[in-house]
Every structure is written in C-alpha cells, then in structure tokens.
Amino acid sequence: MRKTNLILSALASAMLMPLASCTPERMEANDWEGLYEMYKDFFKKTYEHTNMTVDFYGDGVMKEWTEQIHGSTSHIETNGEETWAWRNEVDTKIVGYEYNYGGHCYIANDTLYEKTYKSYIGRISILDKTNEQLQEGLTFTERSAIENSTFSAEKKNLGNDMTSLTCKVNSPAYLMDEENYDTYNFVFHAEAKEGLVIKVSYGGWFDEDKTTKNQSIFKMTYNNVGKIRIPDIKGWSEGSYEEI
C-alpha cells in the first residue's frame, strides 16, 4: 500500500507540472524542405490577416495594382479596372468585374472566388508553386536541375520587432543547349513588423549577364481598410467560369 501511495503521489506531482515544448526558432536552412518550412512559418500570420492593403510593383518602380481586403471581401484596382470578390447574404461567392470601357460582368463561382479573394497570395507564393511541382513529379531534366541546385534560407532579427527572411536558389534549370547551361540565381526576400510582412521582393538572374529578371515588389499595410463597397450588380451581365 505504501509503494502504491508513492506511485500515485509521483503521478499527481507530474500532472501539476506544466507541459511545455521548447522548440528553438529556426533561423537558417540549407535544403529545400528547411527553406520551405521557414517561408511558411514567416508568412502564416500575414496570409491569415483580413484587413490589409497590398500594392504591387511589377518592375520594382511603377505601381501596377492594389488589393484591399476587409473580412471576406476584397477589391482590386488596376489600369482603371476594378475586381471585387465577396459573399452575398446567402453566402454565395461572387466575383464582379468593372472594365475601363464601361462594361460590367459578374460570376458566381466558388473556385473563382478563392482565386480572386486575396489574389496577392497567388502572386507572392512562387515558393508554394515550386513546392507543388516537386510534389507532383518532375521530368528527367527538372530532376537533374533540382539535384544540382543549392538552397539556403536565413532569418534575421533586425531590431524594433522587425525580422527578415532571405531565400536563395541557385539552379542550372535553364539550359542554353544540350551541353551548356548557365546557373540561374533566384532571391526571395521579405521583411516583417511584429510578425506581419510589410515588404516582399523577388527576382533572378543568370550568372553570365547578372541581368535582373522579373523583379517584383509587394508592399503591405494593415488595419487601414474600412468596409469595402460592394457594387450593385443588378443589370450586370452574368458570366461563367471554367477552370482550365
């Protein structure tokens, strides 16, 4: 009986102790799996946020479009045209378009809504798309390129609740001909304030010419969007959507 009481006492003491799992924050990686894990962790809070403005600069200088997000509604403005994604009073998912020539169109489609609402994620998540390709399978040439690629990711504390994440991929994925190729260097850089990403830039270049390709910059601001005005679509033409 005495031995049993000792065991019960030990168990009771253990139950009173807090359960904690202290996993150190990952600050660097040297393979694709680690790089992708760090990227997902860095952007998780941002991708979940539902009150924000995103400005996109396609060439790094000229602003090409702006997306505002409030709750389950988003509004995109580009080149004088507007796009809305929202849920109506019966939770039907709708996307509406207002063209710069004065035309209007709306489409009620769940898939199109998911592609349009927070569409900035689709533009930023180039690493997600790469990971999907890796999961789906690669051609012989693509596998060879991946096997000969190098990956790195580094997270830094910049002070004042600022952090940065830099991901680099050096890959012989762009073959010039059957025997020769140049290494393609891709850099993805993001900065965050209190865990929310405020700036993203990515682009790449070949070793030979060092010419920047597809330089893209995104800037985010938060909690600055009031209720988005949803257009009155009475009289608008109804379109259809078919996923290719």
Side-chain angles (χ1 to χ4, degrees):
M1 181 64 68
R2 187 175 181 182
K3 184 176 182 181
T4 301
N5 288 339
L6 287 172
I7 294 173
L8 291 175
S9 177
L11 287 173
S13 298
M15 291 175 67
L16 292 173
M17 296 177 65
L19 297 176
S21 176
C22 299
T23 303
E25 182 181 11
R26 187 161 193 167
M27 301 299 288
E28 60 181 20
N30 291 297
D31 55 25
W32 172 258
E33 290 76 12
L35 179 155
Y36 188 63
E37 176 188 328
M38 290 178 65
Y39 153 74
K40 294 290 285 185
D41 182 66
F42 197 83
F43 277 82
K44 185 178 187 298
K45 187 176 179 180
T46 298
Y47 286 168
E48 291 175 349
H49 208 279
T50 56
N51 188 309
M52 60 192 296
T53 300
V54 184
D55 294 315
F56 172 68
Y57 302 78
D59 60 359
V61 179
M62 297 289 292
K63 183 164 69 173
E64 293 188 10
W65 60 259
T66 296
E67 179 174 15
Q68 290 190 311
I69 297 160
H70 185 278
S72 60
T73 302
S74 71
H75 174 242
I76 303 167
E77 189 169 1
T78 178
N79 297 324
E81 299 187 337
E82 297 181 76
T83 303
W84 294 265
W86 74 95
R87 300 182 182 192
N88 67 11
E89 62 278 2
V90 294
D91 208 33
T92 301
K93 296 176 181 178
I94 303 172
V95 177
Y97 303 93
E98 184 171 83
Y99 303 105
N100 52 22
Y101 60 82
H104 303 85
C105 173
Y106 76 91
I107 300 172
N109 183 276
D110 289 0
T111 301
L112 182 60
Y113 170 88
E114 298 299 338
K115 288 179 177 290
T116 307
Y117 173 69
K118 292 187 177 181
S119 65
Y120 81 93
I121 295 178
R123 293 175 179 260
I124 287 178
S125 60
I126 189 168
L127 298 177
D128 283 319
K129 294 170 185 174
T130 301
N131 194 64
E132 287 175 10
Q133 285 182 303
L134 292 173
Q135 298 300 320
E136 290 171 358
L138 304 172
T139 65
F140 175 80
T141 301
E142 290 170 335
R143 282 198 304 273
S144 177
I146 290 296
E147 289 171 358
N148 290 284
S149 298
T150 60
F151 307 96
S152 66
E154 182 181 19
K155 182 177 179 180
K156 290 183 178 180
N157 291 317
L158 305 178
N160 297 319
D161 294 320
M162 290 281 296
T163 53
S164 70
L165 175 68
T166 303
C167 303
K168 297 180 180 180
V169 179
N170 298 323
S171 174
Y174 291 76
L175 282 87
M176 302 296 103
D177 54 48
E178 293 182 356
E179 296 181 357
N180 301 304
Y181 59 82
D182 282 333
T183 299
Y184 186 72
N185 302 277
F186 176 78
V187 178
F188 181 99
H189 180 79
E191 296 177 3
K193 175 76 171 180
E194 297 178 347
L196 290 172
V197 176
I198 59 174
K199 184 178 180 180
V200 179
S201 64
Y202 63 76
W205 61 89
F206 293 104
D207 273 347
E208 183 179 347
D209 55 20
K210 302 292 184 184
T211 302
T212 300
K213 307 290 185 182
N214 301 321
Q215 181 69 19
S216 299
I217 293 178
F218 301 79
K219 295 180 180 179
M220 295 85 153
T221 52
Y222 296 88
N223 303 319
N224 58 353
V225 181
K227 187 175 181 180
I228 295 173
R229 179 190 65 84
I230 297 174
D232 182 358
I233 59 176
K234 292 178 182 178
W236 286 26
S237 60
E238 182 176 3
S240 59
Y241 173 76
E242 183 176 348
E243 191 171 8
I244 301 174

